[in-house]
């Protein structure tokens, strides 16, 4: 998918993360990441990687469901699930022009920075720092996590299925 996009003269952007509890900070991050190029590919850490990165009891949702939700977002062109703790191998395979990370990183602290530079790309920080800090907090109880609406968009499932893959 990345090779075809490059051959067509399109700029490929890669964003990645666990996306275990999707919130407005993630949406803003992905929208800004998409604005950095023509095609946004989102790498989603697999379940075992999320457990290693986030600890016991995680992920809250299986990778296939996280990928389906992300693929339904307007800004996202493709979603790929990967099982590593970092996206270094994904960066080497896709060779994005831009690797976007959220505001909890700096350009220097992005774990995949060396891989991105070696692949000829650049690192960019995208998103809304305030939304990321505020995400998931219930204003009545700052320690509580807010539950989602649980709405399901069955009419978009076939489109979403075409845009997700397992790597």
């Amino acid at each position: 998918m990345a090779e075809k996009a490059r051959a067509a003269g399109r700029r490929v952007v890669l964003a990645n993360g666990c996306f275990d509890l999707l919130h407005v900070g993630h949406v803003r991050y992905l929208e800004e990441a998409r604005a950095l190029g023509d095609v946004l590919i989102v790498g989603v850490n697999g379940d075992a990687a999320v457990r290693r990165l986030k600890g016991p009891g995680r992920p809250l949702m299986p990778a296939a469901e996280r990928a389906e939700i992300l693929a339904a977002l307007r800004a996202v062109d493709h979603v790929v699930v990967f099982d590593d703790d970092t996206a270094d191998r994904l960066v080497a395979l896709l060779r994005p022009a831009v690797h976007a990370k959220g505001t909890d990183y700096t350009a220097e602290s992005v774990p995949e920075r060396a891989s991105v530079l070696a692949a000829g790309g650049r690192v960019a920080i995208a998103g809304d720092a305030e939304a990321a800090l505020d995400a998931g907090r219930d204003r009545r109880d700052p320690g509580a996590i807010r539950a989602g609406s649980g709405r399901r968009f069955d009419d978009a499932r076939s489109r979403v299925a075409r845009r997700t893959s397992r790597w």
Side-chain angles (χ1 to χ4, degrees):
M1 73 186 105
E3 191 62 41
K4 282 174 94 173
R6 274 192 299 281
R10 301 177 81 199
R11 187 179 176 114
V12 176
V13 178
L14 173 66
N16 74 283
C18 295
F19 302 101
D20 195 20
L21 185 59
L22 193 66
H23 54 75
V24 71
H26 289 130
V27 173
R28 291 174 184 166
Y29 156 52
L30 295 173
E31 286 175 345
E32 279 195 31
R34 176 63 172 79
L36 296 170
D38 303 306
V39 177
L40 177 60
I41 301 172
V42 178
V44 178
N45 291 90
D47 295 341
V50 173
R51 249 185 309 287
R52 287 189 301 272
L53 294 166
K54 301 287 186 178
R58 302 291 288 275
L60 301 174
M61 286 187 289
E65 290 180 16
R66 291 181 278 128
E68 184 176 339
I69 290 168
L70 288 164
L73 296 176
R74 174 183 56 231
V76 177
D77 295 299
H78 301 282
V79 176
V80 59
V81 176
F82 66 100
D83 291 320
D84 299 332
D85 291 358
T86 69
D88 288 307
R89 290 195 313 153
L90 197 55
V91 166
L93 178 71
L94 298 175
R95 296 185 346 264
V98 180
H99 179 56
K101 291 296 276 186
T103 57
D104 44 341
Y105 291 92
T106 66
E108 293 75 31
S109 71
V110 170
E112 300 85 4
R113 178 180 172 78
S115 297
V116 172
L117 297 176
R122 72 177 181 91
V123 172
I125 303 303
D128 180 347
E130 285 299 313
L133 290 173
D134 204 30
R137 298 211 194 308
D138 184 324
R139 287 172 186 19
R140 294 164 295 175
D141 179 0
I145 299 294
R146 192 175 20 213
S149 69
R151 286 179 48 187
R152 188 171 181 175
F153 298 95
D154 290 332
D155 59 338
R157 291 188 82 185
S158 62
R159 177 178 57 84
V160 168
R162 287 192 309 270
R163 296 189 321 165
T164 61
S165 60
R166 182 112 183 131
W167 180 68

